[in-house]
Amino acid sequence: MEEYQNGNEGSFNSEEAENVVKECIENIVGAEDYSQTQVNKWTAGIVERCLTQLVKQGKPYKYIVTCAVMQKTGAGLHTANSCYWDTTMDGSCTVRWENRTMYCVVSVFAVAVV
Amino acid sequence: MDEYQTEEETAFIVEDVSKVIKESVEVAIGGSTYQHSRVNQWSTSVVEQCLSQLSKMGKPFKYIVTCIIMQKNGAGLQTASACFWDNSTDGSCAVRWENKSMYCIVSVFGLAI
C-alpha cells in the first residue's frame, strides 16, 4: 500500500491530465461538425489550451501535447507512440474523443525536470 | 573547436533524426498496402525501430516517438502539437510519408537530460 502511494507522489498523474484534456476538447470542438476550413484552428486551439492548463498546475514537468483530428468517412486510422525516458517519474496519457462527424485523439507526454 | 564539438554531441540535430525516421518507415512499411489487420504491428514496429536507432546515437536525450498511419480514402486529417520545454536544448522533427494506399506521419520529440 505504502509503496504504491510513494510511487504516485513523484510521478505523473495521468487521471488529472485526462480530465484537463477532456475539458479542453469539449470546449473547442464539443458542438462542431468537421469543417476543413476550421480544423486547423481547432487542433492548434486544443493543444494550446491543454498546454496552458497543464502548465498552470505548476508541477516540475516539461510537456508535449499532440492532437489529431480526423473526419469520419470510414478510413482506418492507427496511432502508436513509444518513449525512451525515466519510467518512475515521466508519464503520458491519451484521450480518444468523437462526435458525429469527427474523431479527436490527444496525447500528453510529461517529462520530469530534475 | 572543443566547445563546438561538445555542442554537436549534445544538440538535437533535426536532419539526422529526419533521416533515421525515413529509414525506419521504409524498413517497416515500405512496400506494403494498407491492411487493417496488420497496421497495429506496423505502427509499433515504426516507433520501436525509430527509438532504437535514436538511442543508439548515444546522446543525452529522452525521446518520444509518435506514429500515425491512415488509410487513403479521402478523409481529412489534421494534427498539431505544442511543447513546453527548454527551447535552447530540446527539439522535434516530424516526417510525412505516403505510398499509394496510406499516409504515415512520424514525430520525434527530444528532451535534453
Side-chain angles (χ1 to χ4, degrees):
Chain A
M1 223 3 157
E2 247 187 69
E3 251 184 62
Y4 175 81
Q5 282 182 346
N6 267 346
N8 249 0
E9 257 176 52
S11 59
F12 179 63
N13 188 340
S14 61
E15 220 179 277
E16 219 182 312
E18 229 183 271
N19 290 335
V20 168
V21 170
K22 282 182 183 147
E23 190 257 336
C24 293
I25 299 176
E26 273 297 330
N27 216 285
I28 297 196
V29 292
E32 309 273 355
D33 280 345
Y34 183 88
S35 150
Q36 202 194 356
T37 51
Q38 298 248 61
V39 70
N40 198 355
K41 218 175 42 162
W42 292 335
T43 49
I46 289 172
V47 292
E48 272 171 40
R49 196 188 163 95
C50 284
L51 201 56
T52 314
Q53 300 291 82
L54 288 164
V55 170
K56 258 197 213 160
Q57 291 176 0
K59 300 191 174 172
Y61 282 104
K62 292 180 177 178
Y63 295 102
I64 291 164
V65 182
T66 68
C67 166
V69 173
M70 185 176 89
Q71 188 180 16
K72 271 188 175 177
T73 63
L77 176 78
H78 206 271
T79 67
N81 57 64
S82 188
C83 310
Y84 181 73
W85 58 20
D86 183 338
T87 51
T88 55
M89 316 210 341
D90 306 328
S92 70
C93 101
T94 301
V95 173
R96 270 162 231 83
W97 180 97
E98 66 180 279
N99 68 8
R100 215 177 38 103
T101 56
M102 55 185 166
Y103 295 104
C104 179
V105 182
V106 177
S107 293
V108 174
F109 302 92
V111 177
V113 178
V114 189
Chain B
M1 225 358 158
D2 248 8
E3 253 182 60
Y4 175 76
Q5 279 185 344
T6 314
E7 238 185 75
E8 270 269 314
E9 274 169 30
T10 59
F12 186 84
I13 299 180
V14 177
E15 225 175 88
D16 289 350
V17 175
S18 176
K19 244 188 351 182
V20 167
I21 298 176
K22 287 185 182 138
E23 258 173 47
S24 305
V25 174
E26 273 297 329
V27 165
I29 59 179
S32 313
T33 305
Y34 184 89
Q35 250 181 283
H36 182 70
S37 56
R38 300 197 65 191
V39 74
N40 196 354
Q41 190 196 353
W42 287 338
S43 47
T44 308
S45 125
V46 169
V47 294
E48 280 179 1
Q49 177 81 350
C50 281
L51 206 54
S52 79
Q53 295 295 91
L54 288 166
S55 55
K56 265 196 209 157
M57 284 164 56
K59 298 195 171 182
F61 278 99
K62 291 181 177 180
Y63 293 105
I64 291 162
V65 183
T66 70
C67 167
I68 296 177
I69 295 180
M70 184 173 89
Q71 185 181 19
K72 273 188 175 178
N73 92 339
L77 174 75
Q78 179 83 20
T79 67
S81 67
C83 311
F84 178 72
W85 60 20
D86 184 338
N87 265 339
S88 55
T89 57
D90 307 329
S92 72
C93 165
V95 171
R96 246 183 49 187
W97 180 97
E98 66 179 279
N99 67 10
K100 248 191 356 163
S101 58
M102 56 187 167
Y103 295 104
C104 178
I105 301 167
V106 179
S107 300
V108 172
F109 302 91
L111 295 108
I113 299 178

